[in-house]
């Protein structure tokens, strides 16, 4: 059926009101363990910036940057501008981009757990190589292995969470991934604050401790149950129903189980998910898979999280003050994610995304004005303005933490039908990692070239993405994951793109295969 012009994927009838079940301790524990996979992503984001500002690390691997840093009257915006140093950070994300495309068929054929385990093992190998690195080649090889781990983990974990969570709490439980990511960032910042004092080998400890979340992810993947959606898709219907009954806490799961059966039957008829995802009926999901992660990175958040110590030192903060300020932003990010978890299934996705976008625009503009007026190439901010910059940056990070941070992952992971879900998540992760790579590689040069204008650059993108959400993103709150296709057909814009429904046999609730639908792809 791939490449044809037949009806939309997913279920034929809306059965959401028939879903039964409650929030069980089993599903909560499974989601918490799975979400730990997010901590490896966060730990690396947080650890990279601190390590790249440590004298021992720079002196060993990037002596040119170290010499520039030691100069008394260097340019505030350009002293860290080195493509080799940027490559240390960005190489991981380029490797992750390739790995997530490999992870898609693994996740679909062998299950979500298989990818989680592969990601944990790869990350463990990368942490070991980095901690013991004696030259730049070994350091970059370790970063590549970390990237493979992140590619697999980011591909599988959000899918796992979306499929395990009950519909009415899917947003909050899915955000456990982002919460784990933010806690990983905060933990990394605090570790850097301590290891920076262990000259000249503290950076080894920072990089090596990445093995801890990697071990948690690997062991968690081994102990976790597979999702019922994945079991059913791979032919284990009875086992899938048993898992569904266990995580819903009731045997009355027929409606939800039938939705999964219908979705899996269609999914198994699709032999080329990546080709199928390009069809017209999957256009809205594809757009979200591309634009949501793109916009998430173009908020500028990764620039702050990667290079927080570097950025604060560029603003004239002392070494310890810079690390302390970056640790503070990590704490704010983690705590603000809790706000999103509490509100996402009550207020919905759109309100949080639009509100967070407006707050981030204001913060970026304020920081740009302060730096443009008060910080020259060789000047330092006064204490009062330094504090103000930290406060505004924290407000920016908080806005991201309760809006685009978690929802940039949640929305794409929940909108795809089963037959393209793994491929869709791979596209989401690949796009995210591609733009993460671009920003990580270019940020130091952009900071040198644009100076304070870098914040206006990101503010412009946040304006665009806020308008995008207002115009094109329907509210997904409370929509069952297997009935998401029906949501697009009701949206003012996407209903012009998505083909009409197939005829339905009311006695069976099944789609008729004899009716060709609507427009050609």
């Amino acid at each position: 059926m791939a490449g044809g012009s037949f009806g939309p994927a997913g279920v034929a009838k809306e059965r959401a009101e028939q879903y039964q079940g409650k929030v069980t301790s089993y599903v909560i524990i499974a989601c918490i363990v799975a979400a730990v996979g997010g901590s490896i992503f966060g730990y690396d984001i947080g650890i990279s910036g601190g390590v790249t500002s440590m004298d021992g690390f720079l002196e060993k691997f990037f002596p040119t940057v170290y010499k520039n840093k030691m100069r008394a009257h260097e340019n505030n915006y350009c002293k860290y501008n080195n493509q080799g140093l940027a490559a240390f950070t960005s190489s991981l994300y380029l490797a992750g981009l390739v790995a997530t495309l490999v992870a898609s068929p693994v996740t679909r054929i062998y299950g979500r757990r298989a990818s989680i385990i592969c990601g944990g093992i790869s990350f463990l190998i990368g942490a070991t190589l980095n901690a013991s690195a004696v030259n730049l080649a070994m350091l970059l090889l370790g970063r590549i292995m970390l990237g493979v781990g992140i590619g697999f983990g980011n591909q599988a974990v959000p899918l796992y969470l979306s499929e395990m969570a009950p519909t009415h709490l899917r947003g909050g439980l899915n955000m456990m991934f982002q919460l784990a990511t933010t806690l990983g960032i905060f933990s990394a910042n605090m570790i850097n604050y301590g290891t920076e004092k262990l000259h000249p080998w503290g950076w080894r400890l920072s990089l090596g401790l990445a093995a801890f979340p990697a071990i948690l992810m690997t062991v968690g993947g081994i102990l976790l149950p597979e999702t019922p959606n994945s079991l059913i898709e791979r032919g284990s219907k009875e086992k899938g129903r048993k898992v569904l009954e266990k995580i819903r806490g009731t045997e009355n799961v027929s409606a939800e189980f039938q939705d999964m059966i219908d979705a899996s039957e269609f999914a198994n008829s699709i032999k080329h998910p990546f080709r199928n995802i390009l069809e017209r009926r999957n256009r809205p999901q594809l757009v979200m898979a591309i634009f949501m992660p793109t916009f998430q990175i173009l908020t500028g958040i990764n620039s702050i999280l990667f290079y927080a110590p570097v950025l604060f030192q560029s603003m004239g903060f002392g070494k310890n003050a810079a690390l302390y300020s970056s640790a503070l932003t990590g704490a704010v990010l983690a705590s603000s994610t809790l706000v999103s978890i509490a509100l996402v299934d009550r207020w919905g996705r759109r309100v949080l995304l639009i509100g967070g976008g407006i707050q981030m625009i204001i913060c970026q503009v304020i920081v740009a004005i302060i730096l443009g007026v008060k910080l020259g190439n060789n000047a330092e901010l006064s204490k009062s303005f330094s504090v103000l910059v930290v406060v505004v940056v924290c407000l920016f990070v908080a806005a991201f933490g309760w809006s685009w941070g978690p929802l940039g992952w949640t929305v794409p992971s929940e909108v795809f039908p089963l037959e393209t879900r793994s491929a869709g998540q791979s596209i989401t992760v690949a796009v995210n990692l591609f733009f993460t790579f671009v920003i990580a590689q270019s940020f130091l040069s952009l900071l040198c070239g644009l100076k304070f204008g870098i914040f206006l650059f990101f503010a412009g993108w946040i304006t665009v993405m806020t308008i995008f959400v207002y115009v094109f993103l329907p509210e997904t709150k409370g929509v069952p994951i297997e009935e998401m296709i029906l949501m697009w057909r009701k949206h003012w814009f996407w209903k012009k793109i998505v083909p009409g429904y197939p005829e339905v046999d009311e006695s069976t609730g099944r789609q008729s295969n004899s009716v060709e639908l609507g427009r050609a792809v």
Side-chain angles (χ1 to χ4, degrees):
M1 196 174 290
S5 57
F6 291 90
V11 297
K13 296 179 66 177
E14 296 184 78
R15 302 189 183 96
E17 69 281 357
Q18 301 175 36
Y19 283 16
Q20 299 291 319
K22 57 185 179 181
V23 181
T24 62
S25 57
Y26 188 85
V27 70
I28 291 176
I29 292 172
C31 286
I32 290 174
V33 172
V36 169
S39 65
I40 69 171
F41 190 36
Y43 186 87
D44 182 80
I45 290 174
I47 216 70
S48 298
V51 165
T52 52
S53 70
M54 291 184 186
D55 292 344
F57 177 82
L58 292 175
E59 193 173 8
K60 183 172 182 62
F61 296 106
F62 303 99
T64 302
V65 179
Y66 177 72
K67 290 177 183 177
N68 290 339
K69 180 182 176 183
M70 292 297 104
R71 290 174 183 167
H73 299 290
E74 71 279 6
N75 187 305
N76 274 323
Y77 294 102
C78 299
K79 60 184 176 182
Y80 288 97
N81 184 22
N82 180 279
Q83 289 302 298
L85 181 62
F88 164 76
T89 299
S90 66
S91 58
L92 178 149
Y93 302 99
L94 190 61
L97 189 159
V98 176
T100 192
L101 300 177
V102 176
S104 176
V106 173
T107 303
R108 188 181 190 199
I109 297 170
Y110 299 103
R112 287 40 169 162
R113 291 173 61 244
S115 284
I116 292 174
I117 294 169
C118 288
I121 294 174
S122 298
F123 204 84
L124 182 59
I125 294 172
T128 303
L129 286 171
N130 272 352
S132 57
V134 295
N135 53 49
L136 188 59
M138 192 173 176
L139 190 71
L140 292 179
L141 179 60
R143 295 290 292 174
I144 289 171
M145 291 305 298
L146 292 176
V148 172
I150 284 177
F152 272 84
N154 284 15
Q155 205 276 342
V157 172
L159 280 187
Y160 185 92
L161 294 170
S162 287
E163 293 180 348
M164 291 291 281
T167 298
H168 65 291
L169 290 177
R170 186 180 62 244
L173 288 178
N174 193 288
M175 285 181 182
M176 296 300 295
F177 177 79
Q178 177 67 12
L179 178 62
T181 300
T182 59
L183 290 175
I185 293 170
F186 175 67
S187 299
N189 286 332
M190 296 307 295
I191 288 170
N192 279 337
Y193 185 68
T195 58
E196 194 276 334
K197 299 176 175 63
L198 303 175
H199 185 78
W201 56 271
W203 62 270
R204 293 189 184 275
L205 183 58
S206 288
L207 295 177
L209 286 175
F212 180 69
I215 291 172
L216 289 179
M217 180 176 173
T218 305
V219 174
I222 293 171
L223 298 178
L224 286 172
E226 187 57 85
T227 69
N229 310 67
S230 179
L231 289 169
I232 293 168
E233 183 183 16
R234 292 183 288 134
S236 301
K237 294 182 181 179
E238 288 304 315
K239 189 175 181 180
R241 179 167 185 129
K242 288 180 180 178
V243 172
L244 184 60
E245 292 174 354
K246 197 168 187 178
I247 63 176
R248 297 293 179 255
T250 178
E251 294 183 357
N252 189 12
V253 294
S254 297
E256 187 172 4
F257 181 69
Q258 188 59 54
D259 277 356
M260 292 180 181
I261 292 289
D262 289 350
S264 69
E265 288 178 355
F266 191 89
N268 288 328
S269 71
I270 303 299
K271 303 304 179 185
H272 305 286
F274 280 102
R275 185 189 304 168
N276 183 265
I277 208 171
L278 298 175
E279 293 184 1
R280 185 167 185 159
R281 57 187 169 82
N282 290 318
R283 196 67 47 78
Q285 300 96 308
L286 180 61
V287 168
M288 295 304 156
I290 294 173
F291 282 91
M292 292 297 289
T294 299
F295 288 144
Q296 185 191 53
I297 302 305
L298 289 176
T299 58
I301 186 65
N302 281 9
S303 303
I304 291 175
L305 297 180
F306 286 152
Y307 300 114
V310 170
L311 190 61
F312 285 124
Q313 285 190 36
S314 295
M315 293 176 188
F317 286 60
K319 181 166 57 179
N320 289 337
L323 286 170
Y324 182 78
S325 298
S326 63
L328 178 61
T329 59
V332 170
L333 181 61
S335 58
S336 62
T337 304
L338 296 173
V339 175
S340 188
I341 291 174
L343 298 178
V344 65
D345 290 309
R346 186 179 307 170
W347 289 7
R349 283 63 162 158
R350 281 168 51 87
V351 171
L352 295 180
L353 287 168
I354 294 171
I358 293 172
Q359 183 174 327
M360 284 190 288
I361 293 169
I362 294 171
C363 292
Q364 292 275 30
V365 171
I366 291 175
V367 171
I369 291 173
I370 293 173
L371 298 185
V373 174
K374 296 294 182 180
L375 182 67
N377 283 339
N378 303 300
E380 289 189 7
L381 288 176
S382 65
K383 183 177 180 179
S384 59
F385 277 105
S386 296
V387 171
L388 180 59
V389 166
V390 172
V391 170
V392 176
V393 167
C394 285
L395 288 173
F396 168 83
V397 170
F400 178 85
W402 57 260
S403 61
W404 280 88
L407 290 170
W409 291 108
T410 298
V411 171
S413 72
E414 67 184 0
V415 298
F416 281 94
L418 183 62
E419 71 274 6
T420 56
R421 193 169 298 153
S422 181
Q425 184 65 14
S426 282
I427 292 174
T428 300
V429 176
V431 171
N432 181 285
L433 293 176
F434 172 75
F435 279 96
T436 301
F437 164 76
V438 170
I439 293 298
Q441 187 66 36
S442 63
F443 176 72
L444 294 176
S445 296
L446 287 173
L447 180 63
C448 181
L450 296 178
K451 300 180 172 57
F452 64 89
I454 188 72
F455 294 96
L456 296 178
F457 171 78
F458 289 125
W461 280 110
I462 299 171
T463 301
V464 172
M465 68 198 223
T466 302
I467 295 172
F468 172 85
V469 168
Y470 181 79
V471 175
F472 295 111
L473 180 66
E475 182 54 65
T476 60
K477 179 187 73 172
V479 181
I481 193 168
E482 302 302 350
E483 295 185 2
M484 202 67 70
I485 188 66
L486 304 175
M487 172 193 67
W488 303 111
R489 191 63 184 86
K490 299 173 183 177
H491 187 265
W492 74 272
F493 176 80
W494 296 118
K495 68 181 181 182
K496 303 173 185 177
I497 308 296
V498 179
Y501 300 127
E503 290 184 356
V504 175
D505 185 335
E506 293 296 335
S507 63
T508 63
R510 305 296 295 277
Q511 295 179 0
S512 169
N513 292 325
S514 62
V515 180
E516 180 169 303
L517 294 169
R519 313 171 184 89
V521 175

